[in-house]
Amino acid sequence: MDTDLLKTFLEVSHTRHFGKAAENLYLTRSAVSFRVKQLEMILGVELFERQRNNIQPTPAGERMLVHAEAVLLAWERAKQDVSLSQVQSVQLAIGAAPNIWDAYLQDYLQGLHKGLSGVALRTEVQNQSVMTRQLMERTLDLAISFDPPKLEEFELLQVGEVVLGLVSNIAINSLAEVLQQQYIKVDWGTAFNIQHARDFTELPLPVLHTGSARIALDFLLNNGGSAFLPQKMVQPYIDKGQLHWVPATDTIRRNVYVSYLTGNDRLPQIIQAVNYLKAQI
């Protein structure tokens, strides 16, 4: 299988346009069309419904998307594995959602790098469903999340906690004053959303909804408003007077979990990484 065929198929799927896919891949439109036809001949099915200015994946094409992404990811990891230097003998792939990186994992990446001798790190930013699939496919070694998968095949351990507080760009005296501001909603997972819906129903509709604390923080500093953000992340801005805690509001605590496949052949390195993260609690 020529991986270029899969890359072309994915680009057409994303752009829904042969011409745009050709531009992105620096190919001619006819070359893109030829590659897609080659892949269809190999598979024995049509992958796209070709209508004027309306390219849609067929049901077979929709099913092929998951497999194409998995094959390319596995191939990329295989190339990196066999190209490791004499100093680095193992590659460890770690995945997390954007808000996990922002609020927790970013601070420990250097420690993981220095503490895992002979290990090359590969980092992924993915949602939970993709990480669960990649763990099963063994293209991901560790998944770090607030709402981990509870499957028998996975080992699941708590490795940390993120404390979220409501902050504002101006000093205010009560939660009622927040209603006069624009609100930024950060997605901190299912348990947070349940508590948020129960205890903070009076908050205004969000002017921005994001899965990244960094995006929320930058928006808050530049445009004003309020948001639930990690205490550790915002404390420097509190100290400078750029942000302020909203009084009389409870913090929301979110546990951070790591999950991994117990049959993974990189288990010793996974245990090393987990022990390092647990030591930071």
Side-chain angles (χ1 to χ4, degrees):
M1 171 65 69
D2 185 348
T3 56
D4 285 339
L5 302 185
L6 296 178
K7 293 175 184 176
T8 304
F9 163 71
L10 288 174
E11 193 61 38
V12 174
S13 297
H14 294 155
T15 61
R16 303 295 172 95
H17 196 280
F18 282 91
K20 291 177 182 177
E23 290 177 10
N24 294 342
L25 295 170
Y26 300 99
L27 297 170
T28 64
R29 183 170 181 146
S30 60
V32 168
S33 180
F34 179 71
R35 285 184 178 183
V36 170
K37 287 180 180 177
Q38 277 188 294
L39 185 58
E40 289 177 328
M41 289 178 63
I42 292 171
L43 297 172
V45 295
E46 288 191 356
L47 298 173
F48 295 104
E49 293 179 0
R50 297 165 174 82
Q51 301 174 8
R52 184 175 180 83
N53 297 323
N54 185 22
I55 305 298
Q56 297 292 332
T58 62
E62 292 284 0
R63 293 192 295 272
M64 185 61 189
L65 278 171
V66 176
H67 299 295
E69 290 171 349
V71 169
L72 288 176
L73 184 60
W75 175 240
E76 184 65 26
R77 181 164 185 177
K79 289 195 297 181
Q80 292 184 357
D81 269 345
V82 300
S83 301
L84 290 173
S85 67
Q86 294 179 349
V87 177
Q88 297 169 322
S89 57
V90 177
Q91 181 182 205
L92 200 66
I94 301 174
N99 52 11
I100 289 284
W101 281 109
D102 295 343
Y104 170 75
L105 195 51
Q106 190 73 41
D107 292 338
Y108 302 129
L109 189 59
Q110 293 302 317
L112 283 169
H113 166 65
K114 293 178 180 179
L116 298 175
S117 179
V119 176
L121 296 177
R122 177 187 178 97
T123 61
E124 303 282 351
V125 181
Q126 301 285 9
N127 62 42
Q128 184 60 66
S129 61
V130 172
M131 287 194 295
T132 300
R133 189 184 77 236
Q134 290 181 348
L135 284 174
M136 295 298 294
E137 294 169 347
R138 300 173 189 262
T139 54
L140 190 69
D141 300 308
L142 282 169
I144 303 176
S145 61
F146 293 125
D147 300 302
K150 295 178 176 63
L151 299 174
E152 290 185 2
E153 299 91 338
F154 293 154
E155 186 71 27
L156 182 63
L157 297 167
Q158 182 184 345
V159 292
E161 181 185 63
V162 174
V163 182
L164 305 170
L166 186 60
V167 294
S168 169
N169 69 305
I170 58 174
I172 56 180
N173 297 315
S174 67
L175 181 61
E177 293 182 39
V178 174
L179 302 180
Q180 309 305 316
Q181 291 185 297
Q182 54 187 3
Y183 178 60
I184 301 145
K185 174 76 181 295
V186 185
D187 185 2
W188 293 108
T190 303
F192 170 83
N193 289 333
I194 292 172
Q195 185 173 350
H196 186 279
R198 183 188 66 211
D199 299 336
F200 298 95
T201 55
E202 66 270 38
L203 288 174
L205 289 174
V207 66
L208 172 68
H209 195 146
T210 177
S212 169
R214 293 287 176 188
I215 291 175
L217 177 60
D218 183 68
F219 188 93
L220 179 57
L221 292 171
N222 285 283
N223 300 281
S226 60
F228 275 97
L229 291 172
Q231 288 184 344
K232 189 174 181 180
M233 175 186 284
V234 300
Q235 193 59 53
Y237 301 93
I238 299 287
D239 296 339
K240 294 176 184 177
Q242 293 177 274
L243 294 177
H244 307 268
W245 297 116
V246 175
T249 56
D250 294 332
T251 57
I252 298 178
R253 296 176 179 271
R254 297 260 38 212
N255 293 330
V256 178
Y257 297 92
V258 62
S259 51
Y260 59 89
L261 197 63
T262 53
N264 193 303
D265 57 3
R266 295 174 176 82
L267 195 58
Q269 290 75 27
I270 290 174
I271 298 301
Q272 272 187 280
V274 170
N275 287 340
Y276 168 78
L277 293 174
K278 287 173 64 179
Q280 311 308 311
I281 298 178

